[in-house]
PDB file of all heavy atoms in Angstrom:
ATOM      1  N   TRP S 337      -6.076   2.935   4.394  1.00 77.00           N
ATOM      2  CA  TRP S 337      -6.318   3.517   3.076  1.00 77.00           C
ATOM      3  C   TRP S 337      -7.486   4.499   3.113  1.00 77.00           C
ATOM      4  O   TRP S 337      -7.486   5.506   2.405  1.00 77.00           O
ATOM      5  CB  TRP S 337      -6.573   2.410   2.055  1.00 77.00           C
ATOM      6  CG  TRP S 337      -5.440   1.431   2.013  1.00 77.00           C
ATOM      7  CD1 TRP S 337      -5.456   0.129   2.410  1.00 77.00           C
ATOM      8  CD2 TRP S 337      -4.098   1.704   1.598  1.00 77.00           C
ATOM      9  NE1 TRP S 337      -4.211  -0.435   2.264  1.00 77.00           N
ATOM     10  CE2 TRP S 337      -3.357   0.501   1.772  1.00 77.00           C
ATOM     11  CE3 TRP S 337      -3.455   2.829   1.098  1.00 77.00           C
ATOM     12  CZ2 TRP S 337      -2.011   0.416   1.448  1.00 77.00           C
ATOM     13  CZ3 TRP S 337      -2.110   2.735   0.775  1.00 77.00           C
ATOM     14  CH2 TRP S 337      -1.412   1.537   0.954  1.00 77.00           C
ATOM     15  N   ALA S 338      -8.487   4.216   3.926  1.00 82.00           N
ATOM     16  CA  ALA S 338      -9.592   5.165   4.089  1.00 82.00           C
ATOM     17  C   ALA S 338      -9.106   6.436   4.789  1.00 82.00           C
ATOM     18  O   ALA S 338      -9.533   7.549   4.447  1.00 82.00           O
ATOM     19  CB  ALA S 338     -10.728   4.520   4.876  1.00 82.00           C
ATOM     20  N   LEU S 339      -8.203   6.290   5.755  1.00 88.00           N
ATOM     21  CA  LEU S 339      -7.632   7.453   6.426  1.00 88.00           C
ATOM     22  C   LEU S 339      -6.849   8.322   5.447  1.00 88.00           C
ATOM     23  O   LEU S 339      -6.955   9.555   5.462  1.00 88.00           O
ATOM     24  CB  LEU S 339      -6.716   7.000   7.569  1.00 88.00           C
ATOM     25  CG  LEU S 339      -7.415   6.425   8.806  1.00 88.00           C
ATOM     26  CD1 LEU S 339      -6.414   5.666   9.679  1.00 88.00           C
ATOM     27  CD2 LEU S 339      -8.099   7.529   9.605  1.00 88.00           C
ATOM     28  N   GLU S 340      -6.071   7.689   4.579  1.00 84.00           N
ATOM     29  CA  GLU S 340      -5.296   8.448   3.591  1.00 84.00           C
ATOM     30  C   GLU S 340      -6.211   9.209   2.642  1.00 84.00           C
ATOM     31  O   GLU S 340      -5.967  10.372   2.310  1.00 84.00           O
ATOM     32  CB  GLU S 340      -4.390   7.492   2.808  1.00 84.00           C
ATOM     33  CG  GLU S 340      -3.468   8.177   1.809  1.00 84.00           C
ATOM     34  CD  GLU S 340      -4.136   8.485   0.476  1.00 84.00           C
ATOM     35  OE1 GLU S 340      -5.073   7.742   0.095  1.00 84.00           O
ATOM     36  OE2 GLU S 340      -3.745   9.471  -0.183  1.00 84.00           O
ATOM     37  N   ALA S 341      -7.290   8.563   2.193  1.00 80.00           N
ATOM     38  CA  ALA S 341      -8.223   9.229   1.279  1.00 80.00           C
ATOM     39  C   ALA S 341      -8.860  10.448   1.941  1.00 80.00           C
ATOM     40  O   ALA S 341      -9.107  11.468   1.287  1.00 80.00           O
ATOM     41  CB  ALA S 341      -9.291   8.240   0.818  1.00 80.00           C
ATOM     42  N   ASP S 342      -9.115  10.369   3.242  1.00 87.00           N
ATOM     43  CA  ASP S 342      -9.680  11.512   3.963  1.00 87.00           C
ATOM     44  C   ASP S 342      -8.744  12.725   3.924  1.00 87.00           C
ATOM     45  O   ASP S 342      -9.197  13.877   3.863  1.00 87.00           O
ATOM     46  CB  ASP S 342      -9.943  11.148   5.427  1.00 87.00           C
ATOM     47  CG  ASP S 342     -11.112  10.187   5.597  1.00 87.00           C
ATOM     48  OD1 ASP S 342     -11.798   9.901   4.591  1.00 87.00           O
ATOM     49  OD2 ASP S 342     -11.331   9.723   6.732  1.00 87.00           O
ATOM     50  N   THR S 343      -7.436  12.471   3.962  1.00 87.00           N
ATOM     51  CA  THR S 343      -6.490  13.592   3.959  1.00 87.00           C
ATOM     52  C   THR S 343      -6.483  14.324   2.622  1.00 87.00           C
ATOM     53  O   THR S 343      -6.072  15.491   2.561  1.00 87.00           O
ATOM     54  CB  THR S 343      -5.061  13.119   4.298  1.00 87.00           C
ATOM     55  OG1 THR S 343      -4.562  12.264   3.253  1.00 87.00           O
ATOM     56  CG2 THR S 343      -5.018  12.391   5.633  1.00 87.00           C
ATOM     57  N   VAL S 344      -6.918  13.660   1.555  1.00 84.00           N
ATOM     58  CA  VAL S 344      -7.047  14.343   0.258  1.00 84.00           C
ATOM     59  C   VAL S 344      -8.085  15.459   0.370  1.00 84.00           C
ATOM     60  O   VAL S 344      -7.865  16.586  -0.082  1.00 84.00           O
ATOM     61  CB  VAL S 344      -7.440  13.345  -0.847  1.00 84.00           C
ATOM     62  CG1 VAL S 344      -7.730  14.081  -2.161  1.00 84.00           C
ATOM     63  CG2 VAL S 344      -6.335  12.312  -1.060  1.00 84.00           C
ATOM     64  N   GLU S 345      -9.234  15.132   0.967  1.00 84.00           N
ATOM     65  CA  GLU S 345     -10.274  16.140   1.150  1.00 84.00           C
ATOM     66  C   GLU S 345      -9.806  17.263   2.089  1.00 84.00           C
ATOM     67  O   GLU S 345     -10.164  18.427   1.903  1.00 84.00           O
ATOM     68  CB  GLU S 345     -11.552  15.512   1.700  1.00 84.00           C
ATOM     69  CG  GLU S 345     -12.501  15.012   0.634  1.00 84.00           C
ATOM     70  CD  GLU S 345     -12.237  13.577   0.247  1.00 84.00           C
ATOM     71  OE1 GLU S 345     -12.016  12.753   1.141  1.00 84.00           O
ATOM     72  OE2 GLU S 345     -12.262  13.281  -0.959  1.00 84.00           O
ATOM     73  N   TYR S 346      -9.025  16.920   3.093  1.00 86.00           N
ATOM     74  CA  TYR S 346      -8.506  17.952   3.997  1.00 86.00           C
ATOM     75  C   TYR S 346      -7.654  18.953   3.214  1.00 86.00           C
ATOM     76  O   TYR S 346      -7.789  20.170   3.390  1.00 86.00           O
ATOM     77  CB  TYR S 346      -7.685  17.310   5.120  1.00 86.00           C
ATOM     78  CG  TYR S 346      -7.255  18.278   6.201  1.00 86.00           C
ATOM     79  CD1 TYR S 346      -8.036  18.490   7.322  1.00 86.00           C
ATOM     80  CD2 TYR S 346      -6.057  18.979   6.089  1.00 86.00           C
ATOM     81  CE1 TYR S 346      -7.649  19.383   8.314  1.00 86.00           C
ATOM     82  CE2 TYR S 346      -5.660  19.872   7.075  1.00 86.00           C
ATOM     83  CZ  TYR S 346      -6.450  20.069   8.188  1.00 86.00           C
ATOM     84  OH  TYR S 346      -6.059  20.960   9.167  1.00 86.00           O
ATOM     85  N   GLY S 347      -6.779  18.437   2.337  1.00 84.00           N
ATOM     86  CA  GLY S 347      -5.958  19.325   1.515  1.00 84.00           C
ATOM     87  C   GLY S 347      -6.791  20.156   0.560  1.00 84.00           C
ATOM     88  O   GLY S 347      -6.523  21.354   0.356  1.00 84.00           O
ATOM     89  N   GLU S 348      -7.834  19.551  -0.039  1.00 82.00           N
ATOM     90  CA  GLU S 348      -8.723  20.293  -0.938  1.00 82.00           C
ATOM     91  C   GLU S 348      -9.470  21.381  -0.166  1.00 82.00           C
ATOM     92  O   GLU S 348      -9.684  22.495  -0.668  1.00 82.00           O
ATOM     93  CB  GLU S 348      -9.716  19.332  -1.588  1.00 82.00           C
ATOM     94  CG  GLU S 348     -10.647  19.997  -2.591  1.00 82.00           C
ATOM     95  CD  GLU S 348     -11.636  19.023  -3.212  1.00 82.00           C
ATOM     96  OE1 GLU S 348     -11.618  17.824  -2.831  1.00 82.00           O
ATOM     97  OE2 GLU S 348     -12.428  19.457  -4.070  1.00 82.00           O
ATOM     98  N   TRP S 349      -9.887  21.071   1.048  1.00 85.00           N
ATOM     99  CA  TRP S 349     -10.596  22.017   1.901  1.00 85.00           C
ATOM    100  C   TRP S 349      -9.721  23.233   2.212  1.00 85.00           C
ATOM    101  O   TRP S 349     -10.185  24.371   2.223  1.00 85.00           O
ATOM    102  CB  TRP S 349     -10.999  21.300   3.181  1.00 85.00           C
ATOM    103  CG  TRP S 349     -11.759  22.090   4.195  1.00 85.00           C
ATOM    104  CD1 TRP S 349     -12.929  22.771   4.012  1.00 85.00           C
ATOM    105  CD2 TRP S 349     -11.409  22.249   5.585  1.00 85.00           C
ATOM    106  NE1 TRP S 349     -13.337  23.353   5.196  1.00 85.00           N
ATOM    107  CE2 TRP S 349     -12.424  23.037   6.180  1.00 85.00           C
ATOM    108  CE3 TRP S 349     -10.354  21.787   6.371  1.00 85.00           C
ATOM    109  CZ2 TRP S 349     -12.401  23.392   7.523  1.00 85.00           C
ATOM    110  CZ3 TRP S 349     -10.326  22.121   7.717  1.00 85.00           C
ATOM    111  CH2 TRP S 349     -11.338  22.919   8.283  1.00 85.00           C
ATOM    112  N   LYS S 350      -8.420  22.979   2.434  1.00 81.00           N
ATOM    113  CA  LYS S 350      -7.504  24.057   2.777  1.00 81.00           C
ATOM    114  C   LYS S 350      -7.158  24.934   1.574  1.00 81.00           C
ATOM    115  O   LYS S 350      -6.976  26.153   1.716  1.00 81.00           O
ATOM    116  CB  LYS S 350      -6.202  23.462   3.344  1.00 81.00           C
ATOM    117  CG  LYS S 350      -6.314  22.953   4.771  1.00 81.00           C
ATOM    118  CD  LYS S 350      -6.327  24.107   5.758  1.00 81.00           C
ATOM    119  CE  LYS S 350      -6.203  23.627   7.190  1.00 81.00           C
ATOM    120  NZ  LYS S 350      -6.192  24.750   8.149  1.00 81.00           N
ATOM    121  N   THR S 351      -7.038  24.332   0.375  1.00 80.00           N
ATOM    122  CA  THR S 351      -6.482  25.066  -0.766  1.00 80.00           C
ATOM    123  C   THR S 351      -7.439  25.223  -1.944  1.00 80.00           C
ATOM    124  O   THR S 351      -7.190  26.044  -2.822  1.00 80.00           O
ATOM    125  CB  THR S 351      -5.224  24.345  -1.288  1.00 80.00           C
ATOM    126  OG1 THR S 351      -5.590  23.062  -1.814  1.00 80.00           O
ATOM    127  CG2 THR S 351      -4.189  24.176  -0.183  1.00 80.00           C
ATOM    128  N   GLY S 352      -8.491  24.409  -1.995  1.00 77.00           N
ATOM    129  CA  GLY S 352      -9.398  24.453  -3.139  1.00 77.00           C
ATOM    130  C   GLY S 352      -8.945  23.600  -4.304  1.00 77.00           C
ATOM    131  O   GLY S 352      -9.611  23.558  -5.339  1.00 77.00           O
ATOM    132  N   VAL S 353      -7.812  22.902  -4.171  1.00 77.00           N
ATOM    133  CA  VAL S 353      -7.276  22.058  -5.244  1.00 77.00           C
ATOM    134  C   VAL S 353      -7.192  20.620  -4.754  1.00 77.00           C
ATOM    135  O   VAL S 353      -6.669  20.356  -3.662  1.00 77.00           O
ATOM    136  CB  VAL S 353      -5.880  22.543  -5.697  1.00 77.00           C
ATOM    137  CG1 VAL S 353      -5.331  21.640  -6.802  1.00 77.00           C
ATOM    138  CG2 VAL S 353      -5.954  23.980  -6.188  1.00 77.00           C
ATOM    139  N   ARG S 354      -7.690  19.691  -5.563  1.00 75.00           N
ATOM    140  CA  ARG S 354      -7.677  18.274  -5.210  1.00 75.00           C
ATOM    141  C   ARG S 354      -6.444  17.617  -5.814  1.00 75.00           C
ATOM    142  O   ARG S 354      -6.273  17.601  -7.036  1.00 75.00           O
ATOM    143  CB  ARG S 354      -8.958  17.611  -5.724  1.00 75.00           C
ATOM    144  CG  ARG S 354      -9.143  16.188  -5.257  1.00 75.00           C
ATOM    145  CD  ARG S 354     -10.499  15.632  -5.703  1.00 75.00           C
ATOM    146  NE  ARG S 354     -10.687  14.296  -5.184  1.00 75.00           N
ATOM    147  CZ  ARG S 354     -11.169  14.025  -3.972  1.00 75.00           C
ATOM    148  NH1 ARG S 354     -11.525  15.007  -3.180  1.00 75.00           N
ATOM    149  NH2 ARG S 354     -11.302  12.773  -3.560  1.00 75.00           N
ATOM    150  N   THR S 355      -5.579  17.030  -4.965  1.00 74.00           N
ATOM    151  CA  THR S 355      -4.313  16.460  -5.443  1.00 74.00           C
ATOM    152  C   THR S 355      -4.142  15.040  -4.903  1.00 74.00           C
ATOM    153  O   THR S 355      -3.324  14.800  -4.005  1.00 74.00           O
ATOM    154  CB  THR S 355      -3.117  17.337  -5.004  1.00 74.00           C
ATOM    155  OG1 THR S 355      -3.150  17.469  -3.579  1.00 74.00           O
ATOM    156  CG2 THR S 355      -3.176  18.717  -5.627  1.00 74.00           C
ATOM    157  N   GLU S 356      -4.899  14.098  -5.456  1.00 71.00           N
ATOM    158  CA  GLU S 356      -4.768  12.708  -4.994  1.00 71.00           C
ATOM    159  C   GLU S 356      -3.369  12.158  -5.211  1.00 71.00           C
ATOM    160  O   GLU S 356      -2.821  11.445  -4.383  1.00 71.00           O
ATOM    161  CB  GLU S 356      -5.769  11.796  -5.720  1.00 71.00           C
ATOM    162  CG  GLU S 356      -7.222  12.065  -5.413  1.00 71.00           C
ATOM    163  CD  GLU S 356      -7.879  12.818  -6.534  1.00 71.00           C
ATOM    164  OE1 GLU S 356      -7.175  13.553  -7.255  1.00 71.00           O
ATOM    165  OE2 GLU S 356      -9.111  12.661  -6.694  1.00 71.00           O
ATOM    166  N   GLY S 357      -2.776  12.485  -6.391  1.00 70.00           N
ATOM    167  CA  GLY S 357      -1.500  11.881  -6.753  1.00 70.00           C
ATOM    168  C   GLY S 357      -0.384  12.201  -5.785  1.00 70.00           C
ATOM    169  O   GLY S 357       0.265  11.307  -5.240  1.00 70.00           O
ATOM    170  N   ILE S 358      -0.129  13.497  -5.531  1.00 75.00           N
ATOM    171  CA  ILE S 358       0.988  13.857  -4.665  1.00 75.00           C
ATOM    172  C   ILE S 358       0.697  13.507  -3.213  1.00 75.00           C
ATOM    173  O   ILE S 358       1.608  13.183  -2.443  1.00 75.00           O
ATOM    174  CB  ILE S 358       1.340  15.357  -4.822  1.00 75.00           C
ATOM    175  CG1 ILE S 358       2.739  15.643  -4.265  1.00 75.00           C
ATOM    176  CG2 ILE S 358       0.289  16.239  -4.193  1.00 75.00           C
ATOM    177  CD1 ILE S 358       3.852  14.957  -4.994  1.00 75.00           C
ATOM    178  N   THR S 359      -0.588  13.571  -2.806  1.00 79.00           N
ATOM    179  CA  THR S 359      -0.935  13.190  -1.437  1.00 79.00           C
ATOM    180  C   THR S 359      -0.657  11.712  -1.208  1.00 79.00           C
ATOM    181  O   THR S 359      -0.016  11.328  -0.224  1.00 79.00           O
ATOM    182  CB  THR S 359      -2.423  13.497  -1.154  1.00 79.00           C
ATOM    183  OG1 THR S 359      -2.661  14.887  -1.353  1.00 79.00           O
ATOM    184  CG2 THR S 359      -2.794  13.129   0.268  1.00 79.00           C
ATOM    185  N   TYR S 360      -1.130  10.874  -2.122  1.00 73.00           N
ATOM    186  CA  TYR S 360      -0.867   9.443  -1.992  1.00 73.00           C
ATOM    187  C   TYR S 360       0.627   9.155  -2.126  1.00 73.00           C
ATOM    188  O   TYR S 360       1.161   8.272  -1.453  1.00 73.00           O
ATOM    189  CB  TYR S 360      -1.651   8.659  -3.042  1.00 73.00           C
ATOM    190  CG  TYR S 360      -1.541   7.163  -2.877  1.00 73.00           C
ATOM    191  CD1 TYR S 360      -2.390   6.481  -2.012  1.00 73.00           C
ATOM    192  CD2 TYR S 360      -0.575   6.435  -3.548  1.00 73.00           C
ATOM    193  CE1 TYR S 360      -2.277   5.123  -1.829  1.00 73.00           C
ATOM    194  CE2 TYR S 360      -0.451   5.069  -3.378  1.00 73.00           C
ATOM    195  CZ  TYR S 360      -1.313   4.417  -2.523  1.00 73.00           C
ATOM    196  OH  TYR S 360      -1.189   3.070  -2.350  1.00 73.00           O
TER     197      TYR S 360
END
Side-chain angles (χ1 to χ4, degrees):
W337 304 112
L339 288 164
E340 184 277 331
D342 289 353
T343 66
V344 174
E345 271 90 44
Y346 187 91
E348 183 181 2
W349 181 56
K350 284 284 190 179
T351 65
V353 179
R354 188 175 183 85
T355 56
E356 294 103 333
I358 197 64
T359 301
Y360 186 85

